[in-house]
């Protein structure tokens, strides 16, 4: 979650971890060495790739919604085919964002995997960044040999990404190495609403049931049926954006107060 937060504060390769707030002052984050940062306007995408030798990890972190124009991307919910000709659709805005960056990310990641063959690879992101982390991971395991055996995907407050066919495809490819964390009454994990577009979540959901951090592990259901005892048990009108801003105390307060950019 600290890596996901750091990505959203627009880490710059030239500045290192300087100037991106409390998340970047965390010892675990500062122990990582930046390899690549990206900030794209069309399609919109931000994030970084880093290596942490202490934990023997390569980290690919995708930025959440922290630009005004990203709000427009979040609302671009029209379905697009994930694979041309296949009967599965995903969020058009998120897919465009990922496809604009994934080629360059893949080139850096492939080189780091060759340089550090025994390091795990972690994809992560919060909110929009979580959706992009999942889509980016799925794209790259299809193009980088050996990535599937090394990857872990951690998303926080991830909105629904695609339809039932896509969720099944994702679960088949990455379901047992993906951890989709949902805070107690986070409204973003219930977006887009099912009455608007028939999207559903992929697994595996870890629902933070209360502020103490008790966790319910969501069970898998066929089709677009989400576990009724997990985050979907919360009525939409009982949700609050404060739960999107609280994942066991993260993001930190200075991140929530940071000024948006265009």
């Amino acid at each position: 979650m600290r890596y996901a937060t750091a990505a959203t504060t627009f880490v710059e390769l030239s500045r290192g971890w300087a100037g991106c707030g409390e998340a970047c002052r965390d010892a675990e984050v500062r122990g990582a060495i930046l390899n690549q940062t990206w900030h794209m306007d069309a399609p919109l995408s931000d994030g970084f790739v880093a290596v942490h030798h202490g934990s023997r990890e390569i980290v690919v972190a995708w930025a959440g919604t922290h630009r005004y124009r990203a709000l427009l991307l979040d609302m671009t919910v029209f379905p697009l085919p994930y694979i041309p000709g296949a009967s599965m659709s995903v969020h058009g805005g998120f897919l465009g964002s990922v496809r604009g960056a994934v080629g360059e990310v893949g080139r850096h990641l492939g080189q780091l995997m060759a340089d550090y063959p025994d390091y795990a690879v972690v994809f992560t992101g919060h909110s929009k960044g979580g959706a992009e982390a999942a889509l980016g991971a799925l794209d790259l395991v299809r193009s980088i040999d050996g990535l599937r055996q090394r990857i872990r995907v951690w998303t926080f407050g991830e909105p629904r990404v695609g339809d039932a066919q896509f969720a099944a495809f994702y679960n088949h490819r990455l379901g047992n190495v993906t951890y989709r964390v949902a805070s107690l009454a986070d409204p973003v994990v219930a977006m887009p609403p099912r009455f608007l577009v028939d999207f559903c979540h992929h697994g595996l959901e870890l629902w933070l049931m209360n502020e103490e951090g008790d966790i319910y592990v969501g069970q898998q259901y066929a089709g677009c049926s989400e576990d009724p005892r997990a985050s979907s048990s919360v009525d939409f009108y009982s949700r609050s954006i404060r739960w999107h801003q609280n994942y066991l105390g993260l993001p930190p307060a200075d991140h929530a107060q940071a000024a948006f950019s265009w």
Side-chain angles (χ1 to χ4, degrees):
M1 184 61 198
R2 289 186 174 93
Y3 285 127
T5 303
T8 303
T9 54
F10 301 144
V11 175
E12 298 286 354
L13 187 61
S14 60
R15 299 184 63 195
W17 299 117
C20 67
E22 186 63 34
C24 295
R25 288 190 281 272
D26 178 78
E28 181 73 12
V29 173
R30 295 186 73 87
I33 301 170
L34 285 170
N35 175 267
Q36 175 205 12
T37 60
W38 72 91
H39 304 289
M40 302 172 56
D41 291 333
L44 181 74
S45 184
D46 303 274
F48 67 81
V49 180
V51 180
H52 197 294
H53 296 298
S55 57
R56 305 177 76 82
E57 290 178 337
I58 301 166
V59 179
V60 182
W62 300 74
T65 303
H66 209 58
R67 291 210 245 176
Y68 287 118
R69 70 181 74 180
L71 297 171
L72 302 177
L73 185 148
D74 292 345
M75 292 185 288
T76 310
V77 298
F78 58 84
L80 287 179
Y82 176 67
I83 299 174
S87 59
M88 54 180 163
S89 299
V90 297
H91 186 295
F94 297 152
L95 182 65
S97 179
V98 167
R99 293 281 165 85
V102 76
E104 186 66 18
V105 171
R107 283 188 285 275
H108 284 262
L109 178 58
Q111 183 60 58
L112 288 173
M113 289 176 60
D115 292 343
Y116 306 105
D118 59 341
Y119 281 27
V121 178
V122 178
F123 275 62
T124 192
H126 173 255
S127 192
K128 174 182 76 73
E132 292 173 357
L135 283 169
L138 189 58
D139 264 12
L140 288 173
V141 296
R142 297 169 59 230
S143 61
I144 299 179
D145 290 340
L147 179 56
R148 174 62 182 80
Q149 291 73 36
R150 298 167 62 175
I151 197 170
R152 298 291 184 271
V153 183
W154 284 87
T155 74
F156 302 87
E158 177 190 345
R160 296 181 176 113
V161 176
D163 60 17
Q165 290 77 17
F166 173 78
F169 181 78
Y170 186 97
N171 289 337
H172 175 69
R173 292 294 186 97
L174 290 176
N176 65 338
V177 292
T178 296
Y179 307 90
R180 182 174 56 79
V181 184
S183 191
L184 176 62
D186 185 346
V188 173
V189 301
M191 301 295 289
R194 299 288 292 277
F195 68 82
L196 180 64
V197 58
D198 197 20
F199 283 0
C200 54
H201 279 298
H202 58 80
L204 166 72
E205 181 178 13
L206 304 179
W207 182 41
L208 303 177
M209 302 169 62
N210 51 44
E211 293 187 80
E212 288 70 42
D214 292 328
I215 296 173
Y216 173 80
V217 181
Q219 306 303 304
Q220 297 290 344
Y221 285 76
C224 257
S225 299
E226 298 169 5
D227 189 337
R229 295 164 294 183
S231 63
S232 62
S233 66
V234 181
D235 181 85
F236 187 82
Y237 297 100
S238 300
R239 297 175 183 269
S240 168
I241 196 64
R242 74 181 184 93
W243 290 109
H244 191 57
Q245 300 169 341
N246 181 14
Y247 277 75
L248 300 177
L250 289 169
D254 68 334
H255 170 269
Q257 297 164 2
F260 268 64
S261 67
W262 178 248

